[in-house]
Amino acid sequence: MKEKFGVAVEPDEVGEETVLLYHEELDEELISIVVKRILPNPVSFQTYIYNEESEWIVGVATEAETNSPLFLVCLKDGERIYEEFLFREKDNEK
């Protein structure tokens, strides 16, 4: 957060939650249809929440069975400001 957005975060001020979500439960304002097509159904989402001057939510989509990171999304005050795929294309081939 410090490098990317200039926000120093104290670890003890971060809330954390993990949920298992099906595609129909994913908000398309936050997770695009293109990303949904790539993510497994269901997908595990680890969320980290930090509230200071703004509300920051970082979500990491992981493979439910292996916990391998797949996708990261960052929201500031409910608006998507950053996203990144966390796997290489060859990892997605079956």
Side-chain angles (χ1 to χ4, degrees), residues 1-90:
M1 291 285 293
K2 178 84 170 158
E3 285 180 31
K4 195 76 167 160
F5 304 110
V7 176
V9 176
E10 293 296 323
D12 59 336
E13 295 180 13
V14 175
E16 184 178 345
E17 179 182 32
T18 301
V19 293
L20 190 64
L21 298 172
Y22 290 90
H23 283 192
E24 57 269 11
E25 297 174 293
L26 296 173
D27 184 344
E28 289 182 8
E29 297 277 326
L30 306 176
I31 307 296
S32 71
I33 293 172
V34 173
V35 173
K36 276 204 251 189
R37 288 183 189 143
I38 295 169
L39 297 177
N41 192 17
V43 62
S44 179
F45 248 92
Q46 298 173 347
T47 58
Y48 304 91
I49 300 169
Y50 177 70
N51 255 328
E52 190 57 34
E53 293 176 20
S54 297
E55 179 186 58
W56 293 85
I57 300 174
V58 176
V60 180
T62 63
E63 173 68 48
E65 293 178 11
T66 65
N67 218 23
S68 297
L70 303 171
F71 179 76
L72 178 136
V73 63
C74 184
L75 311 175
K76 180 181 179 185
D77 296 327
E79 189 174 321
R80 181 178 52 201
I81 61 167
Y82 182 79
E83 62 182 24
E84 177 182 347
F85 288 100
L86 301 174
F87 60 89
R88 297 182 308 265
E89 277 302 313
K90 70 178 188 175

